[in-house]
Amino acid sequence: MIHRLVRRVQSLLSGGPRLRKTPRRIAQSEHKIDRALVSRSAIRTCEVLQAAGHRAYVVGGAVRDLLLGIAPKDFDVATDATPEQVKSHFRRAIIIGRRFRLVHVMFGAETIEVSTFRAYGKDEPDTDEHGRVLTDNVFGEQYEDAARRDFTINALYYDPSTGEVLDYHDGVRDIRRRRLRIIGDPQTRYREDPVRMLRAVRFAAKLGFEIDSATRAPISRLASLIENVPAARLFDEMLKLLTSGYAVACISQLRAEGLHHGLLPLLDVILEQPQGERFVMLSLARTDERARTGKRVAPGFLFATLLWHEVLSKWNARVAAGEHRMPALEAAIDQVLGSQTEKLAIQRRFTSDMREIWTLQPRFERRTGQAPLRLLEHLRLRAGYDFLLIRCAAEEAPAELGEWWTKFLHGSEEQRAALMQEASTSRPAPGSRRKRRPRRKPAEAA
Ligand code: ATP
Ligand code: MG
């Protein structure tokens, strides 16, 4: 009670988000953003809107990254023009979204997302019983648009024409101090949108920032509110976290915050399977490496690695109970996908990739007859093989098996024939799981 009162007084004194109406203006000479890192298309979008009498700024993550000297991966623009007005000024532009109407302005392969300044706290927005905002599409002033953004470092506006950065919430200072600070009263902001808790962890891990103590404090208490977020939205945010190039750091941070319990069903699965941890961490480390070197991370592959040990333990149990190996695997997959897609809305296009990658695994063990040659025609061979290599690195499959397939895939016809010959004559090494007995257990989970 007292606590709540103190917090309320503090929030009033510090000026809730609504009170900051005039921004600090930071000149180019001070912030030193490298204009060469700003997308030509984003500059053009701002120029066109400004020439038509509107205000337009690069906003959000792009400005944050520019101030950190990082090349942004995409650019958003915020303007006082309505979506219809924006659309009318560009040849290739479409209005998208229902809850938030945005305009996608397209320049070749690049898309600039243009949003109209949104109101915050003016009309009471529609909320659920936990305070989660359900609809808000009311246009507003720039200062309101700034106040409804999540973190101070994400609420900066860059005007490419003047070179100025407009800063309503001391975001530039926080970037300099490497602090992640939520705008407004943390508890209210997490209740409005519990996904912000996940975003806090992601940004802190990715940028190497410290989470401000008031921003961090309510998280463990409110973590369970994540359960009310629609699964599709959670999946998107989770995917961002896992493909940020800093997934390993994010997961350790979640643990450090005591946040991994109940924050996300998928994370529970990942973090609570001790045998699978080595495999998952290895796979995430590889994903991070790929993401950081600009390579594509296929979500199907990623989720296949994350859920593999759940599949494996169910598969083992079925085989131990006397089921045949392949049908047991298919049934285990159905079970895992059934429960996970419900909770996490893993889209169908990803689940079919996952299933193929998983069912390929026992097929890699067949190295004689026509089997390996038939596998060469499989569409998902490359993904299945990459997956096999992770299993080998995690010492869950024999290293020799991965090496054999590496040679087989790169070999000439003669080399392949020799490899198959070698496989049919060589006896399995002691301790190897490459056995040919019926009813054997699949690769052990240990
Ligand atoms: P990234 O580099 O991961 O894309 P980003 O900051 O650009 O980071 P986006 O999810 O692309 O993140 O969102 C763009 C901007 O929209 C953010 O910078 C922030 O200002 C605002 N925003 C996004 N999600 C929320 C949210 N849940 N609550 C409030 N503001 C948000
Ligand atoms: Mg972004």
Side-chain angles (χ1 to χ4, degrees):
M1 198 54 192
I2 296 278
H3 264 92
R4 211 179 295 161
L5 203 66
V6 169
R7 220 181 11 247
R8 179 138 186 90
V9 170
Q10 276 173 343
S11 124
L12 284 175
L13 287 178
S14 68
R18 272 164 251 179
L19 302 181
R20 299 285 197 92
K21 294 198 175 174
T22 37
R24 207 156 83 78
R25 291 174 178 272
I26 299 153
Q28 169 70 47
S29 58
E30 202 185 321
H31 62 64
K32 301 195 174 68
I33 281 180
D34 179 0
R35 213 178 134 92
L37 294 179
V38 186
S39 134
R40 292 290 318 147
S41 315
I43 296 177
R44 178 99 193 103
T45 304
C46 291
E47 283 171 353
V48 167
L49 290 170
Q50 289 172 353
H54 299 292
R55 288 158 64 214
Y57 304 84
V58 174
V59 71
V63 187
R64 174 198 73 218
D65 289 349
L66 286 168
L67 286 164
L68 288 164
I70 303 169
K73 56 177 161 46
D74 45 38
F75 284 81
D76 298 331
V77 164
T79 179
D80 59 0
T82 63
E84 287 74 16
Q85 286 171 325
V86 174
K87 183 173 153 63
S88 73
H89 293 297
F90 298 92
R91 207 162 43 83
R92 290 179 61 219
I94 47 166
I95 297 180
I96 59 146
R98 247 189 307 166
R99 186 181 150 196
F100 299 139
R101 286 166 69 238
L102 305 163
V103 184
H104 276 180
V105 180
M106 283 151 303
F107 299 85
E110 193 179 5
T111 298
I112 304 296
E113 196 166 283
V114 184
S115 61
T116 306
F117 294 148
R118 257 184 232 121
Y120 179 72
K122 202 192 266 165
D123 305 316
E124 275 303 301
D126 235 0
T127 57
D128 69 7
E129 74 269 30
H130 306 283
R132 188 165 67 85
V133 176
L134 299 176
T135 56
D136 73 285
N137 220 347
V138 188
F139 301 137
E141 300 293 328
Q142 187 174 15
Y143 76 87
E144 297 176 286
D145 186 81
R148 63 173 294 291
R149 292 181 182 270
D150 48 7
F151 302 100
T152 63
I153 61 168
N154 285 346
L156 298 163
Y157 300 78
Y158 172 68
D159 182 340
S161 313
T162 63
E164 261 183 349
V165 167
L166 274 56
D167 181 359
Y168 289 86
H169 298 282
D170 295 326
V172 172
R173 183 199 64 190
D174 288 339
I175 284 182
R176 303 274 181 259
R177 297 194 310 186
R178 308 189 77 77
R179 265 297 148 75
L180 190 76
R181 203 158 53 83
I182 201 161
I183 296 170
D185 172 54
Q187 178 168 310
T188 311
R189 301 307 309 281
Y190 295 139
R191 284 188 181 281
E192 279 172 4
D193 181 6
V195 159
R196 289 173 186 146
M197 294 185 269
L198 268 184
R199 291 174 61 87
V201 169
R202 171 161 68 91
F203 289 125
K206 176 175 163 178
L207 305 170
F209 279 24
E210 193 183 320
I211 305 180
D212 176 72
S213 60
T215 297
R216 163 186 282 153
I219 293 183
S220 51
R221 194 159 38 85
L222 299 180
S224 63
L225 291 179
I226 297 267
E227 286 160 26
N228 307 317
V229 176
R233 170 109 200 281
L234 210 51
F235 179 79
D236 286 348
E237 214 40 61
M238 190 63 194
L239 196 57
K240 277 195 187 184
L241 190 149
L242 293 170
T243 57
S244 62
Y246 297 83
V248 171
C250 284
I251 301 243
S252 359
Q253 180 108 26
L254 286 170
R255 279 181 155 159
E257 304 289 333
L259 253 185
H260 56 291
H261 271 288
L263 189 59
L264 275 186
L266 182 65
L267 272 186
D268 282 346
V269 174
I270 299 170
L271 299 173
E272 274 152 31
Q273 44 179 5
Q275 336 88 302
E277 176 164 347
R278 169 131 196 237
F279 179 84
V280 163
M281 283 305 176
L282 210 78
S283 128
L284 287 179
R286 292 197 176 198
T287 307
D288 283 353
E289 203 180 292
R290 278 188 78 88
R292 287 200 227 178
T293 51
K295 291 204 192 110
R296 204 178 85 84
V297 173
F301 185 88
L302 180 61
F303 284 102
T305 63
L306 298 183
L307 295 173
W308 169 240
H309 273 257
E310 222 197 341
V311 170
L312 201 54
S313 72
K314 293 197 162 54
W315 184 21
N316 281 333
R318 284 174 178 274
V319 171
E323 288 182 39
H324 287 293
R325 230 168 150 241
M326 286 312 278
L329 176 56
E330 294 281 356
I333 291 173
D334 287 342
Q335 239 179 314
V336 170
L337 287 182
S339 70
Q340 283 295 327
T341 47
E342 191 182 302
K343 286 182 276 191
L344 208 65
I346 301 179
Q347 286 103 328
R348 228 173 247 300
R349 62 201 161 100
F350 299 140
T351 57
S352 65
D353 284 358
M354 294 162 75
R355 180 183 295 278
E356 291 194 273
I357 290 169
W358 286 332
T359 50
L360 271 170
Q361 298 313 306
R363 295 181 62 184
F364 284 119
E365 291 170 33
R366 285 183 234 136
R367 289 186 267 173
T368 53
Q370 290 300 301
L373 293 171
R374 268 203 304 274
L375 217 51
L376 286 179
E377 269 135 54
H378 198 289
L379 275 176
R380 289 275 168 269
L381 174 66
R382 182 70 214 190
Y385 161 73
D386 285 344
F387 194 91
L388 172 68
L389 292 187
I390 300 179
R391 291 176 57 220
C392 294
E395 291 175 12
E396 168 201 306
E400 172 268 330
L401 184 63
E403 286 154 16
W404 190 93
W405 275 99
T406 302
K407 286 190 240 154
F408 189 76
L409 291 181
H410 297 108
S412 64
E413 233 169 88
E414 295 84 66
Q415 285 166 325
R416 282 176 180 167
L419 280 162
M420 289 193 291
Q421 180 61 33
E422 179 196 309
S424 64
T425 51
S426 73
R427 276 189 283 136
S432 134
R433 292 179 194 104
R434 195 168 52 81
K435 295 170 273 181
R436 296 249 173 279
R437 277 176 239 121
R439 290 281 162 88
R440 69 216 138 116
K441 280 171 71 176
E444 280 149 35

